[in-house]
Amino acid sequence: MNKRQFLDLLQNGHAQIVQLETQAAKAGVALEKGALGYWSIKEVIAHLIGSHRHLISELEVIARDGKLTPIDTGMMAQGDEDWETALNRFNAQAVALYADRSFDEVRVDFDQTFGRILELSQGFSEEQLLSPFEAGSNELLWESISSNTYGHYEEHLSQLRAWLGQHVSK
């Protein structure tokens, strides 16, 4: 993987989510529950924004300091929480932040947070992107970015497309 390939994957992943958002908005189903579990497409996008914000916090530290120092973006386990419980809490909080916002506002925030990730990613050298993103980790910086952007989107896209296909054809 080189920097250009990585940036292409990043932008392509964003384009796929934008296409899905547009289809959901045109079909008038963006707020219907059940697109992914009990979430609507709006709530899934809010969930992705939560991941974006977490990643932006980490990337800004790396851009400033040249390495990641431990920060708590709300995704860390608290007390005796296990990782899954912490992640579920984080996701619920991310979705709740957008409960009273319109789908268009959520879409704008998704694009803005993605834009910041793209800007930060473009600022990293290929060497940085191909290096572990934190001490003691084998995960490369580009892999960490992927797991909170296009890799994360891929986890949900097939189910969202299937759900949308069923609701658009009604």
Side-chain angles (χ1 to χ4, degrees):
M1 172 82 61
N2 64 38
K3 183 175 179 177
R4 180 73 267 155
Q5 291 168 322
F6 164 71
L7 292 173
D8 287 347
L9 287 169
L10 193 59
Q11 291 173 310
N12 182 51
H14 176 258
Q16 289 182 57
I17 293 293
V18 169
Q19 180 183 33
L20 182 105
E21 291 172 341
T22 301
Q23 291 171 331
K26 283 182 181 177
V29 297
L31 304 180
E32 285 187 30
K33 297 288 188 180
L36 186 69
Y38 56 87
W39 282 345
S40 67
I41 288 181
K42 174 192 163 191
E43 290 166 326
V44 173
I45 303 303
H47 152 77
L48 295 174
I49 294 168
S51 293
H52 282 182
R53 291 190 186 286
H54 166 77
L55 177 61
I56 289 167
S57 296
E58 291 185 338
L59 295 180
E60 287 177 340
V61 169
I62 295 168
R64 183 188 68 230
D65 300 342
K67 63 181 182 193
L68 181 62
T69 52
I71 56 172
D72 184 0
T73 61
M75 195 181 282
M76 296 176 136
Q78 298 176 355
D80 61 354
E81 271 184 330
D82 61 23
W83 172 245
E84 186 176 341
T85 301
L87 186 58
N88 288 338
R89 176 183 41 77
F90 177 84
N91 287 335
Q93 290 170 346
V95 170
L97 285 173
Y98 290 90
D100 295 329
R101 309 243 333 249
S102 72
F103 185 54
D104 287 339
E105 290 174 307
V106 172
R107 293 175 75 184
V108 166
D109 277 6
F110 178 78
D111 287 342
Q112 288 176 341
T113 56
F114 176 81
R116 181 65 179 138
I117 291 167
L118 181 61
E119 176 186 13
L120 287 161
S121 297
Q122 290 169 330
F124 293 120
S125 69
E126 189 162 318
E127 180 182 347
Q128 287 174 301
L129 289 168
L130 297 174
S131 299
F133 83 104
E134 69 181 326
S137 173
N138 292 327
E139 185 177 35
L140 305 180
L141 180 56
W142 78 264
E143 293 170 328
S144 179
I145 297 169
S146 167
S147 68
N148 287 284
T149 57
Y150 68 89
H152 189 182
Y153 311 157
E154 288 173 6
E155 291 177 30
H156 303 314
L157 274 169
S158 63
Q159 186 175 348
L160 292 172
R161 285 179 178 138
W163 182 87
L164 188 58
Q166 293 172 347
H167 287 74
V168 169
S169 62
K170 285 184 178 179

